CSV table of all heavy atoms in Angstrom, one decimal:
chain,number,residue,atom,x,y,z
A,260,ALA,N,12.2,11.5,8.7
A,260,ALA,CA,11.2,12.0,7.7
A,260,ALA,C,10.9,13.4,7.8
A,260,ALA,O,10.8,14.0,8.9
A,260,ALA,CB,9.9,11.2,7.9
A,261,GLY,N,10.9,14.1,6.7
A,261,GLY,CA,10.6,15.6,6.7
A,261,GLY,C,11.8,16.4,6.9
A,261,GLY,O,11.8,17.6,6.5
A,262,SER,N,12.9,15.9,7.5
A,262,SER,CA,14.1,16.6,7.7
A,262,SER,C,15.3,15.9,7.0
A,262,SER,O,16.5,16.3,7.3
A,262,SER,CB,14.5,16.8,9.1
A,262,SER,OG,13.4,17.3,9.8
A,263,SER,N,15.1,15.0,6.1
A,263,SER,CA,16.2,14.2,5.6
A,263,SER,C,17.1,15.0,4.8
A,263,SER,O,18.4,14.8,4.8
A,263,SER,CB,15.6,13.1,4.7
A,263,SER,OG,14.6,12.4,5.3
A,264,GLY,N,16.6,16.0,4.0
A,264,GLY,CA,17.4,16.9,3.2
A,264,GLY,C,18.4,17.7,4.1
A,264,GLY,O,19.5,17.9,3.8
A,265,VAL,N,17.8,18.1,5.3
A,265,VAL,CA,18.6,18.9,6.2
A,265,VAL,C,19.8,18.1,6.8
A,265,VAL,O,20.9,18.5,6.8
A,265,VAL,CB,17.7,19.4,7.4
A,265,VAL,CG1,18.5,20.2,8.4
A,265,VAL,CG2,16.5,20.2,6.9
A,266,LEU,N,19.5,16.8,7.1
A,266,LEU,CA,20.5,15.9,7.7
A,266,LEU,C,21.5,15.6,6.6
A,266,LEU,O,22.7,15.5,6.9
A,266,LEU,CB,19.9,14.7,8.3
A,266,LEU,CG,19.3,14.7,9.7
A,266,LEU,CD1,20.5,14.7,10.7
A,266,LEU,CD2,18.4,15.8,10.0
A,267,ALA,N,21.1,15.4,5.4
A,267,ALA,CA,22.0,15.0,4.3
A,267,ALA,C,23.0,16.2,4.0
A,267,ALA,O,24.2,16.0,3.8
A,267,ALA,CB,21.2,14.7,3.0
A,268,SER,N,22.4,17.4,4.1
A,268,SER,CA,23.3,18.6,3.8
A,268,SER,C,24.3,18.7,5.0
A,268,SER,O,25.5,19.1,4.8
A,268,SER,CB,22.6,19.8,3.6
A,268,SER,OG,22.1,20.4,4.7
A,269,MET,N,23.9,18.3,6.2
A,269,MET,CA,24.9,18.3,7.3
A,269,MET,C,26.1,17.3,7.0
A,269,MET,O,27.2,17.5,7.4
A,269,MET,CB,24.3,17.8,8.6
A,269,MET,CG,23.4,18.8,9.4
A,269,MET,SD,22.8,18.0,10.9
A,269,MET,CE,21.4,19.0,11.3
A,270,ALA,N,25.7,16.2,6.3
A,270,ALA,CA,26.7,15.2,6.0
A,270,ALA,C,27.4,15.5,4.7
A,270,ALA,O,28.3,14.7,4.3
A,270,ALA,CB,26.0,13.8,6.0
A,271,GLY,N,27.0,16.5,4.0
A,271,GLY,CA,27.8,17.0,2.8
A,271,GLY,C,27.3,16.4,1.5
A,271,GLY,O,28.1,16.4,0.6
A,272,PHE,N,26.1,15.9,1.4
A,272,PHE,CA,25.6,15.4,0.1
A,272,PHE,C,24.2,15.8,0.0
A,272,PHE,O,23.5,16.3,0.9
A,272,PHE,CB,25.8,13.9,-0.1
A,272,PHE,CG,25.1,13.1,0.9
A,272,PHE,CD1,23.8,12.6,0.7
A,272,PHE,CD2,25.7,12.7,2.1
A,272,PHE,CE1,23.1,11.8,1.6
A,272,PHE,CE2,25.0,11.9,3.1
A,272,PHE,CZ,23.7,11.5,2.8
A,273,ARG,N,23.7,15.7,-1.3
A,273,ARG,CA,22.3,16.1,-1.5
A,273,ARG,C,21.4,14.8,-1.8
A,273,ARG,O,21.9,13.8,-2.4
A,273,ARG,CB,22.2,17.0,-2.7
A,273,ARG,CG,22.9,18.3,-2.4
A,273,ARG,CD,22.6,19.3,-3.5
A,273,ARG,NE,21.2,19.8,-3.6
A,273,ARG,CZ,20.7,20.5,-4.5
A,273,ARG,NH1,21.5,20.9,-5.6
A,273,ARG,NH2,19.4,20.8,-4.5
A,274,LEU,N,20.2,14.9,-1.5
A,274,LEU,CA,19.2,13.8,-1.8
A,274,LEU,C,18.2,14.3,-2.9
A,274,LEU,O,17.9,15.5,-2.9
A,274,LEU,CB,18.4,13.4,-0.5
A,274,LEU,CG,19.2,12.7,0.6
A,274,LEU,CD1,18.3,12.7,1.8
A,274,LEU,CD2,19.6,11.3,0.1
A,275,PRO,N,17.7,13.4,-3.7
A,275,PRO,CA,16.8,13.8,-4.7
A,275,PRO,C,15.3,13.8,-4.1
A,275,PRO,O,14.4,13.2,-4.6
A,275,PRO,CB,16.9,12.6,-5.8
A,275,PRO,CG,17.3,11.5,-5.0
A,275,PRO,CD,18.1,11.9,-3.8
Side-chain angles (χ1 to χ4, degrees):
S262 307
S263 314
V265 178
L266 274 287
S268 76
M269 281 181 201
F272 60 91
R273 294 188 70 189
L274 290 170

